Amino acid sequence: MVSPGKPSPRSAVKPLSDEQVAKLSRAHHLVNPMHNHPTGPRLDNVAEINAQNPKATQRLLDACAWVVRSRCKPKAWGLENVPEEGVFITACTHVTLFDVFIPMAAMFYQGRRPRYMAKAEMASWPIIGKWFQLVGMQPVPRRKGEALAIENESIRILTSGRPLTIWPEGTLTRDPKKWPMSLKPGMAYIALEACRKLGHEIPIFPAATWGAASINHWWPWPRKNVVMGYGAAIDYSDLLADMDSWGSTPPKEAVTELTRRVRVRLEEIEAEIRGEEPPAEGYWDYRTMKRVPRD
């Protein structure tokens, strides 16, 4: 299935300036996420590491870190929010294919091994596709009729005790100015249903990455700034207050509201990184391919 619309070109946005990074460094403790334990000493989740092809994972991690460091200047804040144990969900922005690796590698360097959702085509890529499968990729077939199976597998991952990383836009943002666009409801459904099965709220951490949109992948030098903000967990305990009385699925209203809260937080974090206000006329809606007013 071909996604409608095309991502806007690099010329649509300006590179993240050194001045803006300096401003962010005064508000947050910026670290290089492409090194082991970037926020300081912490306990690795040894059980997760040993259960997920540790040698292959380390090789992929080192390769990703080398590529990222050679093509940009990565920084991050908020990685201390990553729990040392227990399940959680990371909901990430999806501006470019390149910056997908920033939150993935950062989680690994923090001693966790989340499973992550990625388009099924990546599993067939030469060499790297095999690595992706070895280190926990959950292939997502982008065809109609597959959504329920994908959601059920994601819920199983969480209820089995593993964290999960999701790019809830479902594809690269189609916003011409590369802001987060409308999110698919599957992420919220997965979170709410997994909470019901586990009997408690699963932390959802918003992670926005910005700066890679202006990188020329054929000639990336001079290296551009890329910053990820890993926000505090989103509170949605009110949406779980009556989960014991839900029917066969979480209420549509709860799914819609949780989806909205995640999109708002992603937009807020990206706005802080960029040092800009998002478009006043609204956010980009993937279904209609135009801006719609914010709720």
Side-chain angles (χ1 to χ4, degrees), residues 29-293:
H29 176 53
L30 297 183
V31 299
N32 186 338
M34 297 296 112
H35 293 286
N36 195 42
H37 296 169
T39 60
R42 56 182 279 136
L43 295 177
D44 288 336
N45 193 306
V46 177
E48 282 182 7
I49 292 172
N50 290 338
Q52 192 167 299
N53 306 287
K55 291 184 179 180
T57 299
Q58 191 62 48
R59 289 170 184 159
L60 176 59
L61 181 58
D62 292 342
C64 286
W66 181 85
V67 170
V68 169
R69 291 196 302 265
S70 68
R71 283 159 173 76
C72 69
K73 294 181 285 185
K75 299 291 182 183
W77 84 75
L79 288 174
E80 63 276 3
N81 292 324
V82 177
E84 291 183 349
E85 58 183 19
V87 298
F88 63 95
I89 296 171
T90 301
C92 308
T93 53
H94 202 1
V95 180
T96 73
L97 290 175
F98 180 83
D99 60 18
V100 163
F101 297 99
I102 304 295
M104 184 185 76
M107 296 298 99
F108 283 21
Y109 276 125
Q110 283 292 77
R112 298 304 304 267
R113 293 294 184 270
R115 300 289 300 277
Y116 55 97
M117 314 299 287
K119 60 183 180 180
E121 300 95 296
M122 295 175 68
S124 62
W125 288 0
I127 303 176
I128 198 169
K130 183 63 175 179
W131 276 2
F132 280 157
Q133 295 178 68
L134 286 172
V135 300
M137 184 184 91
Q138 175 59 40
V140 178
R142 297 193 294 181
R143 297 186 299 273
K144 293 182 179 179
E146 300 283 352
L148 183 59
I150 294 166
E151 290 166 353
N152 288 339
E153 175 62 15
S154 300
I155 293 167
R156 187 200 64 78
I157 289 170
L158 291 167
T159 55
S160 70
R162 293 292 293 274
L164 184 67
T165 298
I166 301 176
W167 287 265
E169 290 165 282
T171 188
L172 296 176
T173 181
R174 297 308 196 254
D175 187 315
K177 297 181 180 179
K178 297 188 180 294
W179 290 93
M181 65 176 179
S182 57
L183 309 186
K184 295 186 181 300
M187 180 274 305
Y189 171 82
I190 290 166
L192 293 170
E193 184 62 20
C195 287
R196 173 162 64 168
K197 290 181 178 296
L198 291 173
H200 61 81
E201 182 177 359
I202 297 173
I204 299 177
F205 297 99
T209 302
W210 180 253
S214 57
I215 293 176
N216 184 326
H217 296 293
W218 296 109
W219 186 259
W221 301 281
R223 294 182 301 153
K224 304 293 195 304
N225 294 306
V226 175
V227 174
M228 179 179 72
Y230 197 88
I234 295 169
D235 180 16
Y236 60 104
S237 57
D238 57 309
L239 304 180
L240 303 172
D242 59 347
M243 64 181 179
D244 291 336
S245 62
W246 291 349
S248 58
T249 60
K252 181 179 179 181
E253 295 78 9
V255 172
T256 300
E257 173 59 17
L258 181 53
T259 302
R260 185 195 68 82
R261 292 183 192 183
V262 174
R263 185 194 59 75
V264 168
R265 286 295 294 125
L266 290 174
E267 188 176 68
E268 289 172 349
I269 296 172
E270 184 172 316
E272 182 176 7
I273 298 173
R274 295 173 65 160
E276 305 172 14
E277 290 297 322
E281 58 271 31
Y283 65 93
W284 195 260
D285 181 62
Y286 183 70
R287 294 169 297 176
T288 61
M289 285 293 152
K290 63 181 182 180
R291 296 199 184 280
V292 296

